[in-house]
Amino acid sequence: MEWQTKIMYQSVLDVTDSFRKGDITSFTRVLHANKADELDIPTFFVDMECKSMAYYCGGYRVAQRPRALRIFLQTPGAVKAEYIFLGETDYIAMHPIMLPRLATGEVDEKVLPLAHKFGYIAWSVGENEIKEYLPSMTQIEWDGSYNTGPAPALLRADSLARIMPDYENLTGVFETVHPTAKAKFGWVREMWAYSLAAALSDLPHHYAEFGKPPYNGDLILEPGSSWVATYPLPAGALDSIFIHYTYPIIAKDSSSQTIFQWDKRAKKPFPGMDPLPEIPDEIYIEEVDEKKVSHLKKVHKDHVELWRFMRIVLNDVFRKIGFIAD
């Protein structure tokens, strides 16, 4: 994860011009691990304490996040601002983080917390578990306010502190005593714990959306080489604050040869690497239909330009962190 952290931090520095633009006043990486590392990034370290809390240290390390955030919030002097933006390491900043403001210049508290809407944190997926913890919750209320997770989210520090007890508790419950929820929610079960905790604290979240205030974009834009890349980007998509590269991008030529690939789960960047290759105007993605037959589909020019932007930013960051020689 270190290389992702370097990309995220450097890109935030670049778009905020060393924090002179936007509303960022500090940057803190909350690191929950067995030992601290030596990355030159502002870091708050939390020891995982594997011996006393074994479930934190298994294959699902995201379960450590709520405890680490709680300790961070409770440590005097650790929180340096009234508002917090929660992000993940696989983000590339496109724009400075700005607080939503009224015409008077005051922060518009009515749209906070502000979050991204995830389709898999929906009533249709977790209705039984939602009713278990929130018997009076309705589908309209849940899908209108709680299809989210802890990142990305922009909210008051005291609002985050308010939901931490339930967030931490439910994450532990899903790991140890609620096998049905653990199996159903899979790798996003900690996100479900956050959303349920927000609902239990009556803290509805507002969704940032393409083409709508306060940014005209979302908090994150998630590119990838799926069928979506064959259509134009939605209006406002490029006004999103971050690119979230959770999905692989594999661009092919007309003969089905891979000419550009960015996949965080594949080969990792490393010192001495070559720059990411140029992306031509005409590229394709490969899809496999229900008959297991592969088809090439042309990538829309909007996505070509987005992937080119990613390539430029990544190569620039890799040079700044010493992975690519000048």
mmCIF file of all heavy atoms in Angstrom, residues 182-205:
data_model
loop_
_atom_site.group_PDB
_atom_site.id
_atom_site.type_symbol
_atom_site.label_atom_id
_atom_site.label_comp_id
_atom_site.label_asym_id
_atom_site.label_seq_id
_atom_site.Cartn_x
_atom_site.Cartn_y
_atom_site.Cartn_z
ATOM 1 N N LYS A 182 -21.546 -11.347 7.664
ATOM 2 C CA LYS A 182 -20.177 -11.439 7.149
ATOM 3 C C LYS A 182 -20.165 -12.073 5.766
ATOM 4 O O LYS A 182 -19.493 -11.583 4.846
ATOM 5 C CB LYS A 182 -19.315 -12.250 8.114
ATOM 6 C CG LYS A 182 -17.856 -12.358 7.702
ATOM 7 C CD LYS A 182 -17.052 -13.093 8.762
ATOM 8 C CE LYS A 182 -15.580 -13.160 8.389
ATOM 9 N NZ LYS A 182 -14.768 -13.821 9.428
ATOM 10 N N ALA A 183 -20.924 -13.144 5.603
ATOM 11 C CA ALA A 183 -20.969 -13.837 4.311
ATOM 12 C C ALA A 183 -21.680 -13.003 3.257
ATOM 13 O O ALA A 183 -21.241 -12.929 2.101
ATOM 14 C CB ALA A 183 -21.651 -15.186 4.478
ATOM 15 N N LYS A 184 -22.776 -12.361 3.642
ATOM 16 C CA LYS A 184 -23.560 -11.601 2.670
ATOM 17 C C LYS A 184 -22.829 -10.339 2.207
ATOM 18 O O LYS A 184 -22.781 -10.032 1.015
ATOM 19 C CB LYS A 184 -24.908 -11.200 3.277
ATOM 20 C CG LYS A 184 -25.765 -10.380 2.309
ATOM 21 C CD LYS A 184 -27.027 -9.849 2.958
ATOM 22 C CE LYS A 184 -28.019 -10.937 3.278
ATOM 23 N NZ LYS A 184 -29.308 -10.380 3.756
ATOM 24 N N PHE A 185 -22.224 -9.604 3.151
ATOM 25 C CA PHE A 185 -21.621 -8.320 2.814
ATOM 26 C C PHE A 185 -20.194 -8.455 2.298
ATOM 27 O O PHE A 185 -19.678 -7.540 1.656
ATOM 28 C CB PHE A 185 -21.642 -7.379 4.024
ATOM 29 C CG PHE A 185 -23.027 -7.039 4.501
ATOM 30 C CD1 PHE A 185 -23.260 -6.768 5.841
ATOM 31 C CD2 PHE A 185 -24.090 -6.977 3.622
ATOM 32 C CE1 PHE A 185 -24.535 -6.441 6.290
ATOM 33 C CE2 PHE A 185 -25.371 -6.656 4.050
ATOM 34 C CZ PHE A 185 -25.594 -6.390 5.396
ATOM 35 N N GLY A 186 -19.546 -9.577 2.579
ATOM 36 C CA GLY A 186 -18.225 -9.834 2.023
ATOM 37 C C GLY A 186 -17.220 -8.741 2.333
ATOM 38 O O GLY A 186 -17.124 -8.246 3.453
ATOM 39 N N TRP A 187 -16.452 -8.354 1.313
ATOM 40 C CA TRP A 187 -15.357 -7.408 1.520
ATOM 41 C C TRP A 187 -15.823 -5.993 1.835
ATOM 42 O O TRP A 187 -15.011 -5.148 2.246
ATOM 43 C CB TRP A 187 -14.437 -7.398 0.298
ATOM 44 C CG TRP A 187 -15.072 -6.872 -0.958
ATOM 45 C CD1 TRP A 187 -15.795 -7.578 -1.859
ATOM 46 C CD2 TRP A 187 -15.046 -5.528 -1.447
ATOM 47 N NE1 TRP A 187 -16.234 -6.770 -2.883
ATOM 48 C CE2 TRP A 187 -15.771 -5.505 -2.662
ATOM 49 C CE3 TRP A 187 -14.473 -4.345 -0.991
ATOM 50 C CZ2 TRP A 187 -15.955 -4.338 -3.407
ATOM 51 C CZ3 TRP A 187 -14.646 -3.176 -1.741
ATOM 52 C CH2 TRP A 187 -15.379 -3.190 -2.937
ATOM 53 N N VAL A 188 -17.135 -5.701 1.699
ATOM 54 C CA VAL A 188 -17.624 -4.352 2.038
ATOM 55 C C VAL A 188 -18.356 -4.349 3.376
ATOM 56 O O VAL A 188 -19.099 -3.417 3.674
ATOM 57 C CB VAL A 188 -18.527 -3.785 0.917
ATOM 58 C CG1 VAL A 188 -17.740 -3.601 -0.360
ATOM 59 C CG2 VAL A 188 -19.756 -4.654 0.683
ATOM 60 N N ARG A 189 -18.146 -5.359 4.206
ATOM 61 C CA ARG A 189 -18.898 -5.420 5.467
ATOM 62 C C ARG A 189 -18.535 -4.281 6.422
ATOM 63 O O ARG A 189 -19.381 -3.831 7.199
ATOM 64 C CB ARG A 189 -18.708 -6.775 6.144
ATOM 65 C CG ARG A 189 -17.287 -7.228 6.379
ATOM 66 C CD ARG A 189 -17.292 -8.693 6.820
ATOM 67 N NE ARG A 189 -15.972 -9.251 7.094
ATOM 68 C CZ ARG A 189 -15.205 -9.845 6.194
ATOM 69 N NH1 ARG A 189 -15.623 -9.944 4.932
ATOM 70 N NH2 ARG A 189 -14.025 -10.359 6.541
ATOM 71 N N GLU A 190 -17.308 -3.806 6.384
ATOM 72 C CA GLU A 190 -16.946 -2.657 7.224
ATOM 73 C C GLU A 190 -17.662 -1.393 6.743
ATOM 74 O O GLU A 190 -18.014 -0.526 7.546
ATOM 75 C CB GLU A 190 -15.420 -2.491 7.217
ATOM 76 C CG GLU A 190 -14.909 -1.226 7.868
ATOM 77 C CD GLU A 190 -14.646 -0.139 6.841
ATOM 78 O OE1 GLU A 190 -14.664 -0.429 5.620
ATOM 79 O OE2 GLU A 190 -14.430 1.013 7.249
ATOM 80 N N MET A 191 -17.914 -1.275 5.446
ATOM 81 C CA MET A 191 -18.694 -0.153 4.917
ATOM 82 C C MET A 191 -20.127 -0.227 5.431
ATOM 83 O O MET A 191 -20.721 0.790 5.797
ATOM 84 C CB MET A 191 -18.668 -0.168 3.383
ATOM 85 C CG MET A 191 -17.300 0.069 2.777
ATOM 86 S SD MET A 191 -17.294 -0.119 0.967
ATOM 87 C CE MET A 191 -18.335 1.254 0.464
ATOM 88 N N TRP A 192 -20.668 -1.441 5.458
ATOM 89 C CA TRP A 192 -22.016 -1.619 6.006
ATOM 90 C C TRP A 192 -22.054 -1.233 7.480
ATOM 91 O O TRP A 192 -23.025 -0.617 7.946
ATOM 92 C CB TRP A 192 -22.467 -3.066 5.822
ATOM 93 C CG TRP A 192 -23.141 -3.312 4.508
ATOM 94 C CD1 TRP A 192 -22.562 -3.797 3.364
ATOM 95 C CD2 TRP A 192 -24.508 -3.053 4.180
ATOM 96 N NE1 TRP A 192 -23.489 -3.862 2.358
ATOM 97 C CE2 TRP A 192 -24.697 -3.424 2.831
ATOM 98 C CE3 TRP A 192 -25.587 -2.562 4.900
ATOM 99 C CZ2 TRP A 192 -25.921 -3.300 2.190
ATOM 100 C CZ3 TRP A 192 -26.817 -2.449 4.260
ATOM 101 C CH2 TRP A 192 -26.971 -2.810 2.931
ATOM 102 N N ALA A 193 -21.010 -1.559 8.223
ATOM 103 C CA ALA A 193 -20.960 -1.193 9.637
ATOM 104 C C ALA A 193 -20.997 0.329 9.793
ATOM 105 O O ALA A 193 -21.691 0.860 10.668
ATOM 106 C CB ALA A 193 -19.693 -1.764 10.287
ATOM 107 N N TYR A 194 -20.271 1.032 8.939
ATOM 108 C CA TYR A 194 -20.275 2.505 8.993
ATOM 109 C C TYR A 194 -21.671 3.055 8.704
ATOM 110 O O TYR A 194 -22.179 3.931 9.420
ATOM 111 C CB TYR A 194 -19.274 3.066 7.989
ATOM 112 C CG TYR A 194 -19.279 4.579 7.888
ATOM 113 C CD1 TYR A 194 -18.416 5.350 8.659
ATOM 114 C CD2 TYR A 194 -20.158 5.241 7.021
ATOM 115 C CE1 TYR A 194 -18.425 6.737 8.574
ATOM 116 C CE2 TYR A 194 -20.170 6.628 6.934
ATOM 117 C CZ TYR A 194 -19.306 7.361 7.714
ATOM 118 O OH TYR A 194 -19.334 8.738 7.623
ATOM 119 N N SER A 195 -22.301 2.561 7.643
ATOM 120 C CA SER A 195 -23.612 3.086 7.245
ATOM 121 C C SER A 195 -24.673 2.804 8.300
ATOM 122 O O SER A 195 -25.511 3.655 8.604
ATOM 123 C CB SER A 195 -24.019 2.497 5.893
ATOM 124 O OG SER A 195 -23.134 2.926 4.884
ATOM 125 N N LEU A 196 -24.647 1.598 8.862
ATOM 126 C CA LEU A 196 -25.590 1.265 9.935
ATOM 127 C C LEU A 196 -25.332 2.150 11.156
ATOM 128 O O LEU A 196 -26.274 2.612 11.807
ATOM 129 C CB LEU A 196 -25.462 -0.208 10.307
ATOM 130 C CG LEU A 196 -26.087 -1.196 9.325
ATOM 131 C CD1 LEU A 196 -25.567 -2.607 9.575
ATOM 132 C CD2 LEU A 196 -27.614 -1.176 9.428
ATOM 133 N N ALA A 197 -24.067 2.398 11.471
ATOM 134 C CA ALA A 197 -23.734 3.255 12.602
ATOM 135 C C ALA A 197 -24.229 4.686 12.374
ATOM 136 O O ALA A 197 -24.754 5.328 13.296
ATOM 137 C CB ALA A 197 -22.219 3.252 12.836
ATOM 138 N N ALA A 198 -24.079 5.181 11.145
ATOM 139 C CA ALA A 198 -24.573 6.522 10.837
ATOM 140 C C ALA A 198 -26.089 6.592 11.020
ATOM 141 O O ALA A 198 -26.623 7.560 11.570
ATOM 142 C CB ALA A 198 -24.189 6.908 9.406
ATOM 143 N N ALA A 199 -26.789 5.549 10.573
ATOM 144 C CA ALA A 199 -28.245 5.517 10.721
ATOM 145 C C ALA A 199 -28.643 5.408 12.192
ATOM 146 O O ALA A 199 -29.606 6.060 12.632
ATOM 147 C CB ALA A 199 -28.818 4.353 9.924
ATOM 148 N N LEU A 200 -27.923 4.597 12.960
ATOM 149 C CA LEU A 200 -28.223 4.466 14.386
ATOM 150 C C LEU A 200 -28.024 5.787 15.121
ATOM 151 O O LEU A 200 -28.681 6.058 16.125
ATOM 152 C CB LEU A 200 -27.337 3.380 15.010
ATOM 153 C CG LEU A 200 -27.729 1.932 14.675
ATOM 154 C CD1 LEU A 200 -26.594 0.980 15.024
ATOM 155 C CD2 LEU A 200 -29.002 1.536 15.405
ATOM 156 N N SER A 201 -27.111 6.616 14.634
ATOM 157 C CA SER A 201 -26.865 7.931 15.235
ATOM 158 C C SER A 201 -27.699 9.023 14.589
ATOM 159 O O SER A 201 -27.502 10.209 14.891
ATOM 160 C CB SER A 201 -25.376 8.285 15.119
ATOM 161 O OG SER A 201 -24.593 7.414 15.887
ATOM 162 N N ASP A 202 -28.615 8.633 13.686
ATOM 163 C CA ASP A 202 -29.462 9.596 12.982
ATOM 164 C C ASP A 202 -28.614 10.679 12.323
ATOM 165 O O ASP A 202 -28.832 11.872 12.493
ATOM 166 C CB ASP A 202 -30.474 10.222 13.944
ATOM 167 C CG ASP A 202 -31.559 11.004 13.210
ATOM 168 O OD1 ASP A 202 -31.795 10.706 12.019
ATOM 169 O OD2 ASP A 202 -32.147 11.923 13.814
ATOM 170 N N LEU A 203 -27.619 10.217 11.546
ATOM 171 C CA LEU A 203 -26.733 11.125 10.829
ATOM 172 C C LEU A 203 -26.843 10.842 9.328
ATOM 173 O O LEU A 203 -25.975 10.192 8.742
ATOM 174 C CB LEU A 203 -25.288 10.952 11.302
ATOM 175 C CG LEU A 203 -24.279 11.975 10.778
ATOM 176 C CD1 LEU A 203 -24.553 13.359 11.358
ATOM 177 C CD2 LEU A 203 -22.852 11.537 11.108
ATOM 178 N N PRO A 204 -27.917 11.303 8.682
ATOM 179 C CA PRO A 204 -28.076 11.052 7.245
ATOM 180 C C PRO A 204 -26.975 11.715 6.434
ATOM 181 O O PRO A 204 -26.531 12.812 6.748
ATOM 182 C CB PRO A 204 -29.446 11.664 6.928
ATOM 183 C CG PRO A 204 -29.681 12.656 8.013
ATOM 184 C CD PRO A 204 -29.017 12.118 9.238
ATOM 185 N N HIS A 205 -26.510 11.001 5.415
ATOM 186 C CA HIS A 205 -25.476 11.511 4.532
ATOM 187 C C HIS A 205 -26.111 12.023 3.238
ATOM 188 O O HIS A 205 -27.119 11.483 2.768
ATOM 189 C CB HIS A 205 -24.457 10.421 4.217
ATOM 190 C CG HIS A 205 -23.522 10.122 5.342
ATOM 191 N ND1 HIS A 205 -23.930 9.971 6.648
ATOM 192 C CD2 HIS A 205 -22.169 9.943 5.359
ATOM 193 C CE1 HIS A 205 -22.877 9.713 7.420
ATOM 194 N NE2 HIS A 205 -21.810 9.687 6.666
#
